[in-house]
Amino acid sequence: MALLILAAVIGIPLVEIMVFIKVGSEIGALNTILITVVTAVIGAALLRIQGVGVLMRARAALERRETPVHEIFEGIFLAIAGLFLLIPGFVTDAIGFLLFLPPLRRALAGYVASRTRFVAVNRGAGGRGPRGGASSAGGGPIIDGDYEVIEPDAKSLDDRNRSSGGDGPHGPGNADSPWAKNK
């Protein structure tokens, strides 16, 4: 994998330089630079337009209480497409424009999503616990249960505070407490 990344880091700029030289010799240096700037501007506009659409679909999926897996990967591919269009070069521009085609981007997102495992976790009021599915994020079983919140009445709290010095069992009135006042 590292060798593949190294080949891409070295190979892509070399191919871009070769294409720049060929195109520049055919249409001129100024036109080559102008085309590069225009593709960057078009890429930024496409990223903004299509990015909003993907965000709206992701929001709709969240409102339906679904995990927006495909939309997440579409957003990643849109970001890559925008980056490729901002990088000066004709080869990266071609790849970037291809990634802006919704059918291709959705097919790639679907392929990557099918190869990826997601576990939805609800970090709501309690801040803990998985939501749905057959196993938790840690791989253990999910135990379904009911609970009841029992709150003590105000009179028993007042009795406890008076017997411990007036400030609760661990407060400043308790002699064993680190908050105890030195007299």
Side-chain angles (χ1 to χ4, degrees), residues 83-108:
L83 177 67
F84 278 4
L85 286 171
L86 289 176
I87 295 172
F90 293 104
V91 176
T92 54
D93 286 350
I95 295 169
F97 279 124
L98 284 174
L99 286 175
F100 273 117
L101 297 174
L104 177 64
R105 190 178 62 243
R106 287 185 184 130
L108 287 171

Side-chain angles (χ1 to χ4, degrees), residues 29-99:
L30 187 60
N31 288 335
T32 304
I33 292 171
L34 185 63
I35 289 172
T36 304
V37 171
V38 168
T39 58
V41 170
I42 291 172
L46 283 173
L47 180 63
R48 184 175 182 184
I49 292 166
Q50 291 191 14
V52 168
V54 170
L55 283 174
M56 298 305 284
R57 287 195 310 272
R59 184 175 179 184
L62 287 173
E63 287 175 357
R64 292 188 308 266
R65 297 198 178 265
E66 297 173 358
T67 305
V69 177
H70 291 286
E71 289 80 8
I72 290 170
F73 286 116
E74 277 195 62
I76 291 170
F77 285 125
L78 275 175
I80 292 170
L83 177 67
F84 278 4
L85 286 171
L86 289 176
I87 295 172
F90 293 104
V91 176
T92 54
D93 286 350
I95 295 169
F97 279 124
L98 284 174
L99 286 175

Side-chain angles (χ1 to χ4, degrees), residues 96-182:
F97 279 124
L98 284 174
L99 286 175
F100 273 117
L101 297 174
L104 177 64
R105 190 178 62 243
R106 287 185 184 130
L108 287 171
Y111 175 77
V112 174
S114 70
R115 301 276 184 207
T116 307
R117 179 180 170 198
F118 281 90
V119 176
V121 176
N122 183 4
R123 302 277 182 205
R128 299 186 283 261
R131 176 183 63 114
S135 65
S136 66
I142 296 175
I143 301 172
D144 190 19
D146 296 326
Y147 67 93
E148 179 182 348
V149 177
I150 300 174
E151 296 183 20
D153 60 319
K155 184 179 183 306
S156 64
L157 282 177
D158 287 341
D159 291 342
R160 258 191 235 155
N161 285 341
R162 270 190 231 109
S163 66
S164 66
D167 292 318
H170 300 292
N174 187 344
D176 296 337
S177 169
W179 304 103
K181 295 177 185 174
N182 294 332

Side-chain angles (χ1 to χ4, degrees), residues 2-25:
L3 192 58
L4 182 65
I5 292 173
L6 180 63
V9 167
I10 294 172
I12 291 175
L14 290 177
V15 170
E16 291 290 4
I17 290 169
M18 185 178 69
V19 173
F20 263 125
I21 292 170
K22 186 72 170 168
V23 171
S25 67

